[in-house]
Amino acid sequence: MMISIKQLSKLYRMKSQNVQAVDDVTLDIKRGDIFGVIGYSGAGKSTFIRLINRLEEPTQGQVMINDTNITELSVNKLRKERQKIGMIFQHFNLLWSRTVYENIAFPLEIAGVTKQKRRDKVLELIELVGLSGREQSYPSQLSGGQKQRVGIARALANDPDVLLCDEATSALDPETTDDILNLLVSINQKLNLTIIMITHEMHVIQKICHRVAVMDQGKVVEQGDVLDVFVKPQSKTAKRFVQQLNPLEHNQDSLKPFITKEENSEVVKLHFIGNDAKRALISNVLKTFDIEINILQGSISPTQEGTYGTLYVELDGNRSVIDETIKFIQSSGVEVEVIDDVT
Amino acid sequence: MMLRDWFPNVNMDDMWTATYETLYMTIISVIGTLLLGIMLGLLLFLTERGNLLQNSMVNSATASVVNIFRAIPFIILILLLFPFTDFLMGTNRGPKAALPALIIGAAPFYARLVEIAFKEVDKGVIEAAKSMGAKTHTIIFKVLLPESMPALISGITVTAINLISYTAMAGVIGAGGLGDLAYMKGFQRRDVDVVFACTIFIVIIVFIFQFIGDALSRKADKR
Ligand SMILES: Nc1ncnc2c1ncn2[C@@H]1O[C@H](COP(=O)(O)OP(=O)(O)OP(=O)(O)O)[C@@H](O)[C@H]1O
Ligand SMILES: [Mg+2]
């Protein structure tokens, strides 16, 4: 296990009240994973990620990275350890007084790398994040997306094992967000870097994360593989986030007219996971069975672990044929959920 | 020549000597104020609650000293320090004798400007430096100072201009300079033209300082 977090808590004590910003969080993150943490504003996501590199001191609990107990390190050892934990920020936090080149060189200066080695590393990183030719620009001369690329290059300068991202794309437009997310995925694969990604946007999780934890009021209310959470969200918060991704999909009200108690009609929800989503299941069914299929609504979402799709259909036909059809669909690996009530 | 008619009592040798003395006092005291002010400003900033070297004792002690010295009118500060200037500078006459009072008078003012400049530095950038494992002195020299440079420069410009008028007041202890000249040769002998000439010179010096300060501050600002 790359990162192991045990019973991590943070209590802010203030004059008027105390805020339990992070409440007894236990998580394990595998090496090379992109681990998403999603939650609404005030859920404690930023506090949580800042506890990992101790920008915030935990009131309780333990953070282990690569068998180093971060929570027990002395100030000096912590500084050394932080060089191996990259971090990127929502507002980039670049030094405006330094050029792109000098910003990326900064963590290397901190680590005491010699000038010649610094140069090689900075140029390599500039190449990696696609900013060649902009070395001498100042941050004020860059777009948001370019600034975040500098932020990423800077975070990677000392070859970290972990990259912490706090809302790294929240200040960017959708297209730039996609570029940055793609960059993070390619870095994750190229460098086998473990990434912790804080966000309040489900599509960020969908697009790049392998695993996800859902936070609410300081607690992790749900965690698991992204696909599992997508297909079967358990907690109310997770359900709301899945819905946010595809507002139509869980709008079951519009299914109501089709849900009858009649023998020869059935509304079913099909879950396509992974490669099943790409198969021509419906036309297969129509060729094989004497049945009519009404497509009511559907969606497809690509995730890091494969494509995930849902399809609501109404099956019209002989009762026995309907049952056979459902069995056939199930046998082809697609999950079928019979909807007989709208929630 | 017209100038001779308008300024019959002005002796250009005296004028240049006085200008040199004013510049000497200003430049040396600006350097001293810069060093002392930045140190005090750093101390104020770093020991503040929630900052790198948070320490309320040191913070309020520094703040009190700064506030007390800012409250003392400069002319009185000169008189207060007069007994010590001989000990400090080996003389209590001439431009050198004015330096302690000038620096002690201006540094607390500049320290507050420095503190404000540091407060304007993006907290996120300091945090980013921390997340990279930066030591406190790295944060001071590679983040705080460079990131607040335009404000530090415009602050020292304002302070330098205050110092120029302080040097004029320092004339009362015979510090020399344009203020001294205007007072001794101009005011006491009723030679209004000398006062006038000194004024013009001082205004020109102020303009030059302002111009240089603005230019440097603009050059440092890459935002
Ligand atoms: N320094 C602090 N002092 C006191 N309370 C704090 C502090 N930082 C955060 N909090 C509180 O802790 C809770 C969690 O804040 P946090 O910033 O971690 O939320 P978040 O999930 O990152 O929200 P957002 O999505 O808006 O960034 C909030 O109630 C916040 O008010
Ligand atoms: Mg946050």
Side-chain angles (χ1 to χ4, degrees):
Chain A
M1 215 43 78
M2 173 75 203
I3 302 174
S4 175
I5 291 161
K6 288 205 181 65
Q7 293 166 348
L8 195 62
S9 297
K10 175 70 185 184
L11 178 70
Y12 286 112
R13 288 172 211 281
M14 287 174 297
K15 275 181 210 120
S16 54
Q17 58 171 14
N18 292 340
V19 178
Q20 189 73 51
V22 172
D23 193 358
D24 196 22
V25 169
T26 299
L27 282 180
D28 283 322
I29 299 170
K30 286 205 298 281
R31 180 183 300 281
D33 256 2
I34 304 185
F35 192 97
V37 177
I38 191 165
Y40 289 104
S41 188
K45 311 180 294 292
S46 295
T47 309
F48 168 69
I49 203 165
R50 293 156 50 83
L51 289 173
I52 295 176
N53 61 357
R54 273 174 63 191
L55 283 176
E56 212 68 74
E57 289 292 338
T59 28
Q60 229 184 67
Q62 195 189 53
V63 177
M64 302 280 289
I65 300 181
N66 274 340
D67 300 320
T68 305
N69 188 342
I70 301 290
T71 24
E72 271 182 357
L73 290 178
S74 67
V75 177
N76 276 319
K77 291 224 175 90
L78 175 64
R79 270 203 291 264
K80 268 262 169 284
E81 195 63 30
R82 276 178 178 166
Q83 295 173 7
K84 292 282 167 202
I85 309 174
M87 190 169 196
I88 58 177
F89 306 85
Q90 177 173 6
H91 299 292
F92 324 124
N93 296 351
L94 304 178
L95 283 87
W96 61 255
S97 58
R98 287 176 169 238
T99 60
V100 167
Y101 181 99
E102 292 164 339
N103 263 290
I104 301 172
F106 187 35
L108 296 166
E109 290 168 24
I110 290 172
V113 176
T114 60
K115 197 165 178 186
Q116 183 53 46
K117 281 196 184 145
R118 271 204 314 257
R119 196 181 153 71
D120 295 345
K121 187 74 196 178
V122 172
L123 293 178
E124 176 195 322
L125 286 163
I126 286 181
E127 177 84 30
L128 177 74
V129 300
L131 281 176
S132 303
R134 300 309 299 265
E135 292 82 355
Q136 298 312 318
S137 301
Y138 284 92
S140 63
Q141 300 164 324
L142 301 178
S143 70
Q146 290 169 329
K147 282 182 199 159
Q148 197 56 291
R149 284 169 191 272
V150 179
I152 292 170
R154 181 176 73 172
L156 297 177
N158 285 317
D159 300 316
D161 306 313
V162 188
L163 181 63
L164 308 176
C165 314
D166 190 358
E167 306 269 7
T169 59
S170 299
L172 305 173
D173 63 50
E175 203 145 315
T176 316
T177 295
D178 275 357
D179 291 346
I180 294 295
L181 293 179
N182 288 333
L183 175 62
L184 288 173
V185 171
S186 84
I187 287 165
N188 163 253
Q189 289 165 352
K190 221 180 274 177
L191 311 176
N192 195 28
L193 185 72
T194 308
I195 299 180
I196 302 184
M197 185 88 205
I198 300 287
T199 183
H200 61 264
E201 293 167 309
M202 199 61 185
H203 75 262
V204 171
I205 303 283
Q206 171 218 323
K207 203 169 150 62
I208 74 166
C209 296
H210 305 114
R211 291 175 62 79
V212 63
V214 182
M215 273 189 91
D216 190 21
Q217 295 184 359
K219 288 195 168 64
V220 168
V221 291
E222 184 164 348
Q223 58 169 308
D225 290 336
V226 168
L227 265 178
D228 291 341
V229 174
F230 264 76
V231 176
K232 293 235 168 68
Q234 304 295 319
S235 61
K236 220 171 141 201
T237 320
K239 280 180 187 154
R240 277 173 71 195
F241 273 117
V242 173
Q243 198 166 347
Q244 164 199 330
L245 189 69
N246 189 349
L248 267 182
E249 209 250 292
H250 282 245
N251 183 1
Q252 297 194 343
D253 277 349
S254 62
L255 298 173
K256 217 173 224 162
F258 299 96
I259 298 170
T260 57
K261 298 277 176 256
E262 278 168 40
E263 271 280 281
N264 53 1
S265 160
E266 194 81 86
V267 172
V268 296
K269 179 182 184 184
L270 309 179
H271 295 281
F272 300 85
I273 298 167
N275 291 324
D276 295 334
K278 291 178 191 136
R279 278 218 320 260
L281 178 76
I282 299 295
S283 64
N284 255 344
V285 169
L286 287 174
K287 274 180 213 153
T288 319
F289 297 96
D290 178 22
I291 201 166
E292 273 184 39
I293 297 182
N294 268 327
I295 293 177
L296 304 178
Q297 45 176 270
S299 69
I300 273 197
S301 324
T303 74
Q304 275 300 302
E305 301 286 80
T307 316
Y308 159 60
T310 54
L311 192 63
Y312 287 90
V313 296
E314 185 192 21
L315 304 174
D316 274 335
N318 204 304
R319 183 70 237 174
S320 62
V321 181
I322 291 180
D323 291 342
E324 262 178 64
T325 308
I326 291 177
K327 277 209 194 81
F328 173 80
I329 298 173
Q330 276 168 339
S331 71
S332 65
V334 173
E335 207 173 310
V336 183
E337 200 179 320
V338 175
I339 313 276
D340 30 38
D341 206 0
V342 186
T343 43
Chain B
M1 198 170 105
M2 275 242 291
L3 275 180
R4 268 275 140 257
D5 299 337
W6 285 4
F7 298 99
N9 305 306
V10 172
N11 174 337
M12 279 318 276
D13 282 349
D14 286 354
M15 286 301 290
W16 289 126
T17 308
T19 305
Y20 168 79
E21 286 166 347
T22 294
L23 285 176
Y24 170 86
M25 284 190 280
T26 308
I27 288 168
I28 304 287
S29 63
V30 163
I31 293 169
T33 302
L34 203 58
L35 297 176
L36 187 58
I38 286 179
M39 281 193 286
L40 285 172
L42 261 178
L43 203 56
L44 282 171
F45 176 79
L46 293 174
T47 57
E48 225 154 89
R49 232 179 95 83
N51 284 354
L52 287 161
L53 305 175
Q54 166 172 344
N55 184 330
S56 59
M57 282 268 287
V58 177
N59 188 265
S60 42
T62 315
S64 309
V65 170
V66 164
N67 287 342
I68 289 168
F69 277 93
R70 276 186 63 194
I72 303 174
F74 182 69
I75 196 86
I76 295 181
L77 189 67
I78 296 175
L79 302 177
L80 277 173
L81 286 177
F82 193 71
F84 306 103
T85 40
D86 200 6
F87 168 73
L88 283 172
M89 307 304 295
T91 173
N92 50 25
R93 304 241 5 121
K96 247 187 175 173
L99 292 177
L102 288 170
I103 293 169
I104 291 169
F109 172 75
Y110 185 53
R112 284 295 184 195
L113 297 184
V114 171
E115 185 196 2
I116 293 168
F118 289 160
K119 277 186 183 167
E120 298 282 302
V121 174
D122 187 353
K123 286 266 183 299
V125 175
I126 297 172
E127 189 158 298
K130 277 194 208 162
S131 81
M132 296 173 217
K135 296 188 177 127
T136 302
H137 78 84
T138 310
I139 294 179
I140 293 172
F141 288 103
K142 297 202 166 185
V143 181
L144 276 178
L145 288 172
E147 292 282 299
S148 60
M149 197 49 77
L152 294 180
I153 294 173
S154 53
I156 198 63
T157 309
V158 173
T159 312
I161 287 163
N162 283 348
L163 277 168
I164 293 170
S165 58
Y166 287 176
T167 63
M169 276 188 250
V172 293
I173 57 162
L178 289 161
D180 199 359
L181 184 67
Y183 182 70
M184 302 299 280
K185 298 263 163 62
F187 182 74
Q188 296 210 329
R189 293 194 201 155
R190 312 273 148 151
D191 291 341
V192 182
D193 59 327
V194 176
V195 178
F196 218 75
C198 289
T199 310
I200 292 170
F201 272 56
I202 286 178
V203 167
I204 290 172
I205 292 174
V206 167
F207 276 23
I208 291 172
F209 270 82
Q210 187 72 56
F211 180 81
I212 295 173
D214 287 350
L216 288 178
S217 170
R218 222 175 308 120
K219 187 157 184 294
D221 199 345
K222 300 293 197 304
R223 277 172 295 193

